């Protein structure tokens, strides 16, 4: 299996991963989590839907939460295209490929195109959202992590290579990829100027693994964790603080009240130039946390379903989990010397 | 005077401001400043030239220092184009406009095109540099601010609007602009995903005002200042720490040992979407430092010459300087009540 | 003039500088400043008086603000003694010295002894305050700098040496002192485990120069300044951020809405051991800011009066002010080379 | 079992926990760990012994490492008394109690008294060390966490109450204590102005659990972990970053190359006043990490022996370990819906 080649003259201009839609069984509790811990701003809310944006975002929303009585799910992953004409070109492109794509109306968004990627992940593209004021300098009103903006999403898919090829054909570049032996097990793809808009990891899928939000610095991560601890979200930290071994950033992974996974990461490295070739990481038996303990088993195995989307099995994986790591480090029996 | 319209189908693809060339009368002293205070890495050095890069940069250099016996100057401001074919298109474009542009060889760079912008600023474009390892995670080797990368450059020009038009025609977008009354006195232009690759302010010019380097967070600014203080560079802080009133970032401005001005700023906001329309700031009598004291007079008046480039006068300006600010706040006479 | 020797068997046990009383012409505005910028908690408030404490303080108040229609003043500087029996010993000590000292009732405080020090500074001693909950971990409720606690106070006095002798006789140790030639111009005195409970500088006095509050780290200083800027207190930053040349800490100096000066500093060094001998700094012509620009003239000259207390003149001083510093660095005329 | 009462008129004046002696099987490797990760300065070294101090410490050493071929151990826990006369009083005190105490010579220390506490922990008291320069402002030379100073030590003992009584009789105050039901299972004791000089937890003992070093802020913890990861110490992080539930600080626990445990903590709260009464925490089933995952089993069970000191068994304990926590949170089976 080889890495797909980027189409540097893509049929239309996707600019970035921009938003996602999640469902929640307890909108009030989820609202607390996203405003008080992650620190997002509410752009609009009704009894059944809340739209959030990061404190620096002009875009109306990066996260839409919808009330559900069913199992919480990810409804859709959203990308921005640059202009309205890109939507037309996109529609024509997918029509030509005989891939279903249809225009829909979505509140606070311009004309929006719905489709699914090669793995079945439900996507949407739009060129415009209702503009809002940036609020990153209104520090006196910031809460929790004061997350700046949505950065990327990670999706589990049964076939990483063919899924990546779909995106490479639309102009995405691979910044990094993980291999186990010669098998590619993860790809980091980007359109904007940093290493990731969307990341695919090899598991049964498609399933939604996490959304990553950028925060200013480590002190905002600390504040998020203190707020989480004080507000009854202290069981929500799944992994971290740690540092990604492939050089991306410091991070924590939290589970929201419905179990959806949220990463907080620091501003990523800039990735623009032609010599920013894909970087390969050999994963076999490796711990990807530079600082020490790896993620727990839940991080590798649990993910949110995509609404209405079936799942395809993937080859078994054998990652180094926190559970294995702790077992290997199990305490020696106490060196007790009795006193006379 | 009105803001120039961006050409969204530019003749070739400039991706970012990427490097600059400065001259120095004391290369050893300047090397200390850039490695120990700014925290750049040396990619190559000879008796007469040093190439530096930021700790996260794969590009070979963002700053070239050349030894001089003359008055220190800025030789050239550099941009990246995406591919080699963009250089050909650029050459054809300027030839068609009858603007002199010629290919030259520059060490560690791919084919390089020299030209001057509408204001006379000496520029160069290239598509490639010799790749280097990113060193942003080698924290144990970081020094001073451990500056991540070059972000932007600011140039003083006699005619902000016509200069901005040159860049807008090449695909640059205006993120922000300053007005005094109806007169545009500054424009922030960008190609990459943040508000500035190049900034023009209205003064006698073209003259080089500053290069801005991105650092991770405020703690790295503090470390830079402590290192500066300890290593004999404590007269080099010209302004700050402060926060830009137009929402860009925290900053400090330092003068290097030759008087060239360097800004350290934090990771800027993301600027990508079509609704990221230019934001206007009315400057009249305003202090652009949210935290308090404005820059001193030297910040407004002093700049490095561009080598071999004449200067055109600009209309007189009357900014709020630190000197005026202090004068207005001069202490009241001491409220001395003598004792009996 | 020589440094006074510490009496290591003092007549009673003063434990720390603990509180102060200031008057304000606009209590509502001052409340905003102290809660939103400094980040103090309100322990009690009435129409005429507000009691504040730092977020980690169990003590009921470190700052009492009282409404006034007169010129804002400092009413009193407060110290803790360890136990009630220390108050009795203090009273007996001052009676024996024929220094007026009388017990008074102060709300939220145990029995309180009023007196004046050798320079005329109005003091009070108490052993107890009504305990409050520490709130330093309730991060989700923190505002501005979230100041942890009062650390020290600085007072201007006409005779630094005799004033320091009064305190040394009560068990205070000198951590640092400044000399101009052989003349002692400042003394830092402490009872608790860091370099300063009370600091005296040589000027017309006694006048109240500033109260220093400890904040956790530089990020809290930044948040304070952002809050100040956003809430209309952006003219209140008098000096800094900077770093004290004598190794004490990073700092900023703010003026509250009534002109009283507040320092925010980081957790100071520990000073306990017998070998922590007084450290001498020669001040002549020196800049005490490691990072660069010195304080403005107002910092050296302006101070709050002590209510009902006359002022004694001091020898003229000639500190390096920001104004002098800027004058010495005044921009060279622009190096304008006209174009043909 | 009840909390011992503090003797506020102790027989001699202990001022603080000040130093410890550990043995190492690989002095070169341990040196790397303490200088590059913890960031201590070397005050003196020979082929068999290294003396370290924190960057702000004037004291010659807070940690002495001695080469051993045996099992690594803690040789002794050290306290400062204020003056030489306190050593005489201490000797007289222990002689009167018929507890063995003898004067010895220790390099770089004044006259030193050796004894054991009620639990058998080997202690030493001294009044003086050879003074060194504080280096906390020499930021350009700082490494790793740039640990400021030793703060406290934690010791496991079979009988927490009787051990605490020994210290309370010498003037130590209890800041905090943990209970399981009515049984006291941990006591935090202090002489200096913060909550802990020495901490006892109920386990088979005496055994050395950890030494806590104060670092400036979270960013220094991050730098320590990055340096650890880069320098081959990435298996050394045992627990954290986390935040103590009883309000003390952020922390990490590292194991040095010989398995001795080191805590990095942030500047603790001030604890001076008479109303700083002991605070009780009920521990039953509790997680003491506010942020989430508790410490692993090794943290509760592993400790360094005290050289030449027998161990007494303690009642079985049943803390909430990371292993139990993960087991309780084990991933649900994957919610796989096959596709048709």
């Amino acid at each position: 299996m080889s890495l797909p080649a980027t189409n540097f003259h893509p049929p239309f201009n996707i600019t970035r991963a921009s938003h996602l839609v999640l469902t929640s069984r307890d909108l009030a509790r989820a609202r607390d989590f996203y405003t008080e811990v992650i620190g997002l701003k509410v752009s609009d809310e009704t009894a059944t839907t809340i739209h959030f944006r990061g404190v620096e975002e002009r875009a109306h929303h990066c996260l839409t939460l919808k009330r559900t009585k069913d199992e919480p799910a990810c409804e859709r992953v959203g990308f921005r295209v640059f202009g309205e004409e890109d939507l037309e070109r996109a529609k024509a492109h997918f029509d030509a490929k005989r891939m279903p794509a249809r225009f829909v109306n979505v509140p606070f968004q311009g004309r929006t195109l719905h489709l699914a990627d090669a793995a079945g992940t439900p996507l949407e593209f739009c060129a415009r959202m209702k503009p809002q004021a940036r609020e990153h300098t209104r520090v006196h009103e910031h809460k929790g992590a004061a997350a700046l903006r949505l950065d990327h999403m990670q999706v589990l898919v049964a076939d990483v290579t063919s899924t990546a090829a779909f995106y490479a054909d639309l102009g995405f570049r691979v910044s990094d990829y993980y291999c186990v032996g010669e098998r590619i097990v993860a790809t980091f793809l980007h359109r904007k100027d940093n290493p990731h808009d969307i990341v695919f990891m090899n598991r049964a899928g498609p399933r939604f693994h996490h959304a990553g939000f950028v925060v200013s610095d480590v002190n905002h991560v600390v504040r998020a964790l203190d707020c989480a601890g004080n507000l009854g979200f202290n069981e929500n930290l799944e992994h971290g603080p740690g540092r990604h071994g492939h050089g991306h950033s410091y991070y924590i992974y939290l589970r929201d009240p419905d179990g959806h996974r949220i990463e907080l990461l620091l501003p990523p490295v800039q990735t623009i130039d032609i010599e920013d070739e894909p970087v390969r990481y050999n994963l076999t038996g490796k711990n990807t946390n530079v600082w020490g303990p790896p993620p727990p088993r839940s991080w590798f195995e649990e993910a949110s379903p995509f609404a209405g989307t079936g799942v395809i099995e993937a080859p078994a994986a054998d990652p180094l989990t926190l559970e294995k790591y702790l077992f290997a480090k199990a305490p020696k029996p106490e060196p007790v010397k009795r006193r006379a």
Side-chain angles (χ1 to χ4, degrees), chain A:
Chain A
M1 273 180 289
S2 68
L3 215 52
T6 295
N7 175 6
F8 283 111
H9 301 282
F12 58 98
N13 184 4
I14 300 175
T15 54
R16 64 179 185 102
S18 60
H19 60 287
L20 80 162
V21 184
L22 299 174
T23 65
S24 166
R25 278 197 277 225
D26 184 344
L27 218 47
R29 182 78 179 142
R31 187 192 196 283
D32 267 5
F33 177 81
Y34 284 105
T35 58
E36 306 301 311
V37 178
I38 308 302
L40 300 179
K41 305 305 262 185
V42 172
S43 291
D44 187 84
E45 63 184 314
T46 68
T48 58
T49 308
I50 309 177
H51 290 81
F52 300 93
R53 70 183 192 284
V55 300
E56 80 161 46
E57 290 189 291
R58 254 189 199 171
H60 182 271
H61 54 269
C62 58
L63 170 64
T64 305
L65 276 191
K66 294 184 178 176
R67 195 172 64 186
T68 188
K69 289 175 178 169
D70 300 330
E71 181 189 15
C74 179
E75 284 200 351
R76 209 161 276 275
V77 162
F79 291 88
R80 280 295 188 96
V81 295
F82 186 69
E84 294 293 331
E85 66 280 14
D86 290 300
L87 289 172
E88 288 301 334
R89 286 193 205 110
K91 176 75 169 101
H93 174 77
F94 294 114
D95 284 352
K97 297 230 166 196
R98 301 190 186 278
M99 294 179 73
R102 64 194 180 87
F103 282 108
V104 296
N105 289 319
V106 178
F108 309 109
Q109 296 179 192
R111 211 177 169 199
T112 298
L113 190 67
H114 275 189
L115 70 153
D117 72 11
T121 314
L123 307 181
E124 71 180 32
F125 297 154
C126 70
R128 290 188 175 274
M129 284 187 183
K130 184 185 173 190
Q132 304 289 311
R134 295 189 192 264
E135 301 195 4
H136 62 297
T137 64
R138 299 183 65 80
V139 173
H140 58 302
E141 296 168 352
H142 288 177
K143 294 178 167 187
L148 298 171
R149 60 182 183 268
L150 178 69
D151 182 69
H152 68 269
M153 283 163 275
Q154 181 166 318
V155 174
L156 306 181
V157 295
D159 184 340
V160 163
T161 313
S162 70
T163 309
F166 172 88
Y167 289 87
D169 190 47
L170 300 179
F172 284 73
R173 297 172 70 189
V174 177
S175 60
D176 305 270
Y177 60 110
Y178 291 169
C179 291
V180 170
E182 285 311 299
R183 196 160 61 89
I184 297 171
V185 298
T187 50
F188 294 72
L189 294 132
H190 71 104
R191 283 288 297 169
K192 69 176 177 306
D193 293 350
N194 76 34
H196 28 40
D197 281 294
I198 191 150
V199 180
F200 296 103
M201 292 200 114
N202 192 210
R203 303 273 153 181
R207 290 181 297 152
F208 173 75
H209 189 266
H210 74 260
F213 289 84
V214 174
V215 301
S216 301
D217 53 37
V218 167
N219 296 277
H220 283 79
V221 173
V222 166
R223 194 164 69 159
L225 289 168
D226 276 335
C227 290
N230 284 334
L231 297 170
F233 296 111
N234 54 330
E235 299 271 318
N236 295 51
L237 177 63
E238 185 181 41
H239 178 48
R243 181 168 190 139
H244 285 304
H246 47 287
H248 283 178
S249 172
Y250 305 101
Y251 63 80
I252 56 170
Y253 290 95
L254 297 158
R255 303 296 287 272
D256 85 1
D258 291 285
H260 302 304
R261 187 178 289 105
I262 299 296
E263 180 186 13
L264 298 183
L265 71 155
L266 269 54
V269 296
Q270 187 171 279
T271 311
I272 298 181
D273 301 337
I274 193 70
E275 65 259 38
D276 282 320
E277 297 283 338
V279 179
R280 173 180 175 147
Y281 296 90
N282 294 311
L283 211 64
T284 321
K286 283 273 185 57
N287 178 356
T288 58
N289 179 8
V290 172
W291 290 357
R297 197 153 67 86
S298 62
W299 189 92
F300 293 98
E301 296 185 7
E302 294 181 359
S304 303
F306 281 110
T309 305
V311 165
I312 295 173
E313 289 292 350
D318 186 28
L320 177 59
T321 63
L322 179 56
E323 285 85 347
K324 288 184 200 170
Y325 180 92
L326 289 170
F327 186 80
K329 279 181 169 284
K332 293 150 284 187
E334 296 188 17
V336 174
K337 287 177 291 182
R338 299 273 145 65
R339 274 191 220 187

